[in-house]
Amino acid sequence: MQPDKFYYDNKIVRDFTIATLVWGIIGMLVGLLVAVQLYAPAANLDSQYTTFGRVRPLHTNAVIFAFVGNAIFMGVYYSLQRLLKARMFSDVLSRIHFWGWQLIIVSAVITLPLGLTSSHEYAELEWPIDIAITLIWVVFGINMFGTIIKRRERHLYVAIWFYIATFVTVAVLHIVNSFQLPISAFKSYYLFAGVQDALVQWWYGHNAVAFFLTTPYLGMMYYFLPKMANRPVYSYRLSILHFWALIFIYIWAGPHHLLYTSLPGWAQSLGVVFSIMLIAPSWGGMINGLLTLRGAWDKVRDDVTLKFMVVALTAYGMATFEGPMLSLKEVNAVAHFTDWIVAHVHVGALGWNGFLTFGVIYWMIPRMYKTGLYSKKLASFHFWIGTLGILFYAIPMYWAGFTQGLMWKEFTPEGLLKYPNFLETTLRIIPMHIMRSIGGTMYLAGVIVMAYNIYKTMTLGKLVENEAAEALPLPKMDETEAKKEFWHRKLERKPMALLVFSLIVILIGGVVEMIPTFFISSNVPTISSVKPYTALEVQGRDLYIREGCVNCHSQTIRPFRSETERYGEYSKAGEFVYDHPFLWGSKRTGPDLHRQGGKYSDAWHYNHMLDPRTMSPGSIMPAYDWLITQELDTTTTASKIKALRSLGVPYPDGYELTANQDLDKQAKGISDNLAKDKIKVGSNKEIIAIIAYLQRLGTDIKAKN
């Protein structure tokens, strides 16, 4: 039998590699801007488009979907062709995928600073962009499965199992978390509200980490690490256990982000149990990777690509041990809402995703350009400056997190809060935030050096756009031989069966957690005194979302003495039934706001927005003076009221026709109230709506029947 001759497409891999480096530098520069604003708020350059609240989602989206996303496609397109002995199914689909993904990223760069956001963490992009993401993901899936179908290798290697699970799970997560009702071209409301919306978001949010930042990278690890070390994977059977246990268990763990909230206790407990179980498959993958290096550790000393891979696997092991520990209620009670979580996340992002990406690029580019790496010394410098950058970033953030968690909970011998003013904690950790930005700068410097090194490597050689290869056609399998095969080997011959089984495995956890919460009313008890937001409050809430306030302020008070003493009555599930979307937050850079209503005067809120330091000396909150000059857009009021009513908010029929009249009446009342404090501001300004919303927060349960 004559072997087939064909060509690997290296051009698409090169394109995704360049995009990875470009967006990585941009995303990290934005991250540095965000970090500096936490101790120097003037770093926003007095612009509403560069405040922490608006730019922080841009940083997370740029790093996750632009840097890591392009790196995933880079690694998949390179390894998939070689594992299947086939060129990608369609060069046209490859190009559509590449340019479509870059356009999605550009749309995020434009819309997020403009305040066009859904506010769901890691899913802030509005509905038209969500549709574009879905279409491009389908293009990627068709291209991947088309390549698998025309393969010249009978069995699918472990890396491809992870790629398949990534494709199907990300599709499910994205679609379910994007159930929205459009209001206009760039505004929508989530179909779910309050507790249910929180469950869906963190089912998505946690598993975005699992199936975008983890499973495709494990697939890349299983391909590239053995290639770099010139060793086979340590254990085939361990890889089977690792794969199926990981994708089954991971999907259940989302509720551990919502411990001590209004989420039903049984759902929280499920999240904790499965999070602890997650240690086993996660460490199984790490061990399988590190033991693959048995007999090759001498190479690590001299090969910079292996250095990056070893640190990446170590960071993965650390992060996947710490994650389950943070899901324990006793630990979570201290860590949640603090910088401890920031440190944890960045050990994974900078160490696991970043370093594995760098190692792959350093290994891959010289081979595609048929040349040596331009400078091993620069690569070594990148490794050490990057490693130091991670340490300078993570250690101060751990310290800051411990400080926050303990200061918030400390009482005096007399039984009073020792630090009743939230700002005392904020000021205490500023030195740690300065150190964090230094660590980030070091890490970014390493990436810039790498970009230069890779550019010079490319100029030394010439890209082999179509790399010649040959392989025997896939022969028919003997039935007797097929019957003797190990059961999983049979499954590895059937990509569609692998896809379906993966889908079933990942759906089980989501279905068990969500269906009771959605359909059993006792999970979310209603409170009769909780009423829908007024028209002005709806507009104010949307401005609050636009400014990204939820990035710094939570809106849920946990049932701890330290929190009820500081903020007021703990939050109840029934208080959030009209919240589309929920705004519980995941980080307290500022105090919780759920009981903010009536706590301060309208004049206090006005002055606080105009210049936070006049009301809170030392505050790191930026000024929001544009809210005082910009007019409130009331042309959207009717459509918003109508949409919310269709989602179950009990506004009377026809209320949308008179909503703006009610809005004007309430706005005039606030404007008149401000005038009594010698503050002259028109009732048509955005600041009025923001004040209305803040004054409403948490006031419903004070009027219990």
Side-chain angles (χ1 to χ4, degrees), residues 408-418 561-562 565:
W408 291 345
K409 289 183 173 297
E410 191 167 356
F411 284 83
T412 66
E414 294 75 27
L416 302 173
L417 282 169
K418 187 170 183 179
R561 180 184 167 212
S562 58
E565 289 280 342

Side-chain angles (χ1 to χ4, degrees), residues 18-252:
I18 293 172
T20 299
L21 291 171
V22 170
W23 288 119
I25 291 170
I26 292 172
M28 292 172 202
L29 276 171
V30 175
L32 188 57
L33 173 65
V34 169
V36 170
Q37 287 189 44
L38 288 178
Y39 58 85
N44 73 350
L45 307 176
D46 200 28
S47 169
Q48 63 179 302
Y49 305 111
T50 52
T51 58
F52 181 93
R54 294 203 193 184
V55 174
R56 189 260 182 182
L58 178 60
H59 164 61
T60 56
N61 278 267
V63 170
I64 295 172
F65 300 110
F67 171 60
V68 172
N70 278 298
I72 289 169
F73 302 135
M74 168 194 77
V76 169
Y77 275 94
Y78 184 89
S79 61
L80 194 69
Q81 296 182 81
R82 287 154 178 83
L83 288 169
L84 299 174
K85 298 293 189 291
R87 188 182 179 90
M88 292 305 299
F89 173 66
S90 167
D91 287 3
V92 173
L93 289 181
S94 296
R95 301 297 175 259
I96 292 172
H97 178 201
F98 175 78
W99 288 110
W101 196 255
Q102 309 319 309
L103 286 172
I104 287 166
I105 296 164
V106 170
S107 69
V109 172
I110 295 170
T111 57
L112 290 174
L114 290 173
L116 302 173
T117 172
S118 70
S119 90
H120 267 201
E121 202 156 353
Y122 316 136
E124 290 91 350
L125 302 178
E126 271 291 359
W127 68 272
I129 308 173
D130 281 343
I131 292 173
I133 292 170
T134 305
L135 294 175
I136 295 301
W137 197 253
V138 169
V139 167
F140 168 55
I142 293 171
N143 211 10
M144 180 169 73
F145 280 96
T147 310
I148 291 172
I149 289 167
K150 71 171 191 176
R151 70 193 185 277
R152 295 179 179 86
E153 286 285 343
R154 187 180 305 283
H155 295 92
L156 301 181
Y157 180 64
V158 56
I160 301 172
W161 314 345
F162 281 99
Y163 298 158
I164 290 173
T166 296
F167 170 75
V168 68
T169 310
V170 169
V172 171
L173 292 169
H174 175 69
I175 290 169
V176 174
N177 194 47
S178 299
F179 285 162
Q180 294 157 283
L181 180 63
I183 309 301
S184 63
F186 286 98
K187 178 62 185 175
S188 61
Y189 289 127
Y190 280 102
L191 268 58
F192 310 112
V195 171
Q196 296 164 345
D197 191 42
L199 179 59
V200 170
Q201 156 56 19
W202 283 113
W203 171 78
Y204 163 87
H206 183 79
N207 290 301
V209 173
F211 290 91
F212 204 84
L213 299 177
T214 304
T215 53
Y217 268 71
L218 287 168
M220 289 161 64
M221 180 272 289
Y222 272 114
Y223 176 79
F224 287 102
L225 184 64
K227 288 285 187 183
M228 294 173 184
N230 197 25
R231 293 286 188 279
V233 168
Y234 170 68
S235 171
Y236 165 69
R237 291 183 181 269
L238 181 56
S239 68
I240 295 173
L241 284 171
H242 174 210
F243 173 73
W244 290 108
L246 190 82
I247 68 170
F248 174 71
I249 295 172
Y250 233 132
I251 210 80
W252 295 76

Side-chain angles (χ1 to χ4, degrees), residues 533 537-545 579-581 583 693:
Y533 295 108
E537 291 160 2
V538 167
Q539 292 285 15
R541 192 172 197 270
D542 286 342
L543 291 175
Y544 182 96
I545 290 170
D579 284 11
H580 298 268
L583 295 175
Y693 175 63

Side-chain angles (χ1 to χ4, degrees), residues 265-502:
W266 62 266
Q268 296 184 39
S269 297
L270 275 177
V272 172
V273 169
F274 279 89
S275 296
I276 297 301
M277 291 167 62
L278 198 52
I279 294 177
S282 296
W283 274 46
M286 178 192 68
I287 290 167
N288 214 4
L290 290 176
L291 290 181
T292 298
L293 293 171
R294 286 195 316 167
W297 282 99
D298 58 309
K299 293 184 179 182
V300 177
R301 181 177 62 249
D302 302 317
D303 188 342
V304 73
T305 62
L306 284 175
K307 284 189 175 77
F308 277 107
M309 298 297 278
V310 168
V311 171
L313 281 166
T314 305
Y316 174 66
M318 291 168 61
T320 53
F321 175 78
E322 186 183 17
M325 293 302 99
L326 286 168
S327 74
L328 293 171
K329 283 197 165 187
E330 293 78 4
V331 180
N332 184 277
V334 176
H336 195 54
F337 292 131
T338 74
D339 285 325
W340 185 343
I341 308 302
V342 178
H344 164 64
V345 168
H346 282 81
V347 166
L350 300 176
W352 167 238
N353 297 112
F355 268 39
L356 194 142
T357 298
F358 306 148
V360 167
I361 292 174
Y362 278 125
W363 183 86
M364 200 172 58
I365 289 297
R367 283 162 176 78
M368 293 198 301
Y369 279 79
K370 301 301 180 185
T371 185
L373 186 64
Y374 170 70
S375 172
K376 291 184 178 180
K377 287 185 177 179
L378 285 180
S380 184
F381 170 80
H382 176 201
F383 172 77
W384 289 110
I385 195 74
T387 302
L388 287 172
I390 295 171
L391 295 174
F392 272 81
Y393 188 113
I395 293 172
M397 285 294 93
Y398 279 119
W399 198 276
F402 303 153
T403 301
Q404 287 171 306
L406 296 175
M407 285 182 72
W408 291 345
K409 289 183 173 297
E410 191 167 356
F411 284 83
T412 66
E414 294 75 27
L416 302 173
L417 282 169
K418 187 170 183 179
Y419 306 102
N421 186 350
F422 188 95
L423 195 55
E424 293 179 89
T425 309
T426 303
L427 297 176
R428 186 71 62 87
I429 62 173
I430 280 178
M432 291 81 142
H433 280 272
I434 294 171
M435 288 295 293
R436 184 262 288 267
S437 65
I438 293 171
T441 302
M442 295 167 70
Y443 192 90
L444 174 59
V447 180
I448 293 171
V449 167
M450 178 194 190
Y452 173 77
N453 202 1
I454 294 299
Y455 166 73
K456 294 296 288 185
T457 301
M458 289 177 172
T459 60
L460 285 178
K462 184 179 180 182
L463 175 68
V464 182
E465 292 190 6
N466 297 289
E467 184 179 334
E470 59 180 37
L472 292 172
L474 195 63
K476 290 185 178 180
M477 190 171 188
D478 181 77
E479 291 185 12
T480 305
E481 183 186 349
K483 288 179 181 178
K484 294 180 180 179
E485 268 192 324
F486 178 54
W487 68 270
H488 201 274
R489 292 288 284 174
K490 293 179 182 178
L491 187 60
E492 291 163 29
R493 290 189 282 107
K494 301 173 181 177
M496 300 316 293
L498 192 60
L499 172 71
V500 171
F501 283 132
S502 298

Side-chain angles (χ1 to χ4, degrees), residues 544 549-555 583-585 587 590-593 621:
Y544 182 96
C549 302
V550 72
N551 287 296
C552 289
H553 298 282
S554 59
Q555 282 187 24
L583 295 175
W584 294 358
K587 173 75 169 67
D592 187 275
L593 300 181
M621 176 178 159

